[in-house]
Amino acid sequence: MSLVALNPNAHKALKINAQQVPHIGANAHLIPVVVSEFQKLVVNYPIVFTKHADTGQFVCSALTGFSEGENLFWQEGRWQALYIPAQIERHPFFVGQDTDAQGNAKPVVCFDDASPAIADTDGDALFNEDGTPTSLLNEKQQLLAQLLDGEQQTQQFIDALLSHSLITPIKLAVTFADGSEHAVQGLFTIDEEKLSQLNAEAIASLHAGQWLGAIYTLIASTAQIYALIDRKNQRIEHGNAWFS
């Protein structure tokens, strides 16, 4: 990956092949998500907690497969879901940092110039003739802003859950249609038993933080694990080539 700060003068001719963007998540079995996406994610995905490999801190993720490199929503060369997580849709753009004349850091939109979604000829333009952003670039910038704000909000959500010891490991052992067994490791969810035992003060605190909706949405999303198992069984029955 090579990030370049987006500039309307230097990159006026740059285009994006929108059809290539979903391919970036074709082999991702866990995709980081933010709280503001929960209402859309719950339609398709189990929302779980995982631990960051380097820091050990909890993060929210959409579960798309049971093994490393397996995205069960990637079928017949395309993403088959009502909603694609913002972490995928914002590609090939990232938020970087630049320093102004006073030495202050400020966020800047960057793009990965090695991304397969980058195009010089075929694709959708990022800038109009007058150098203003097109609707496509505006949409990407909105996604970046959602993720930037959402990361802080999501960390606050996780901190609130941890303060009440509400995060617990998921015990998930699955037997698939071909008889193979798989124990899913490293996933966490909300401890419903502890949640039900919280006193009025603790519930009021979660309510004041506007976390109760996110809590119950996340809990409801775990039912999508059964739909994910069904997707896995379909892949087994039809053969992996059918889904490539």
Side-chain angles (χ1 to χ4, degrees), residues 181-194:
E181 298 181 355
H182 186 74
V184 181
Q185 306 289 337
L187 304 182
F188 301 79
T189 189
I190 290 171
D191 192 321
E192 294 184 61
E193 183 177 353
K194 286 186 178 179

Side-chain angles (χ1 to χ4, degrees), residues 14 42 59 64 114 172 176 190 193 197 215 219:
L14 199 66
V42 69
V59 296
T64 61
L172 184 60
F176 296 115
I190 290 171
E193 183 177 353
Q197 295 172 354
I215 286 172
I219 290 172

Side-chain angles (χ1 to χ4, degrees), residues 37-169:
E37 296 182 272
F38 279 14
Q39 291 290 342
K40 296 176 180 178
L41 290 164
V42 69
V43 177
N44 292 116
Y45 310 94
I47 306 168
V48 298
F49 300 105
T50 56
K51 286 189 174 183
H52 192 282
D54 296 327
T55 66
Q57 292 184 320
F58 283 108
V59 296
C60 289
S61 299
L63 181 67
T64 61
F66 295 102
S67 303
E68 187 79 26
E70 176 183 72
N71 183 346
L72 295 169
F73 291 91
W74 187 258
Q75 300 176 6
E76 299 179 299
R78 65 188 182 92
W79 198 297
Q80 297 193 3
L82 294 173
Y83 175 75
I84 300 176
Q87 277 287 3
I88 301 301
E89 287 281 49
R90 54 95 171 177
H91 279 276
F93 298 100
F94 298 79
V95 175
Q97 282 194 338
D98 194 11
T99 304
D100 62 21
Q102 288 72 41
N104 300 313
K106 61 178 182 178
V108 60
V109 176
C110 299
F111 67 94
D112 176 12
D113 66 354
S115 170
I118 294 293
D120 290 323
T121 53
D122 297 330
D124 299 310
L126 295 177
F127 296 101
N128 297 308
E129 287 297 323
D130 61 359
T132 58
T134 62
S135 58
L136 172 64
L137 182 54
N138 282 327
E139 289 173 6
K140 298 292 186 179
Q141 290 174 325
Q142 289 170 8
L143 283 170
L144 290 174
Q146 176 189 2
L147 290 170
L148 193 62
D149 293 340
E151 287 175 3
Q152 182 177 3
Q153 181 190 30
T154 304
Q155 188 57 57
Q156 292 171 348
F157 172 59
I158 291 170
D159 289 343
L161 296 177
L162 289 173
S163 71
H164 298 290
S165 301
L166 289 177
I167 297 182
T168 188

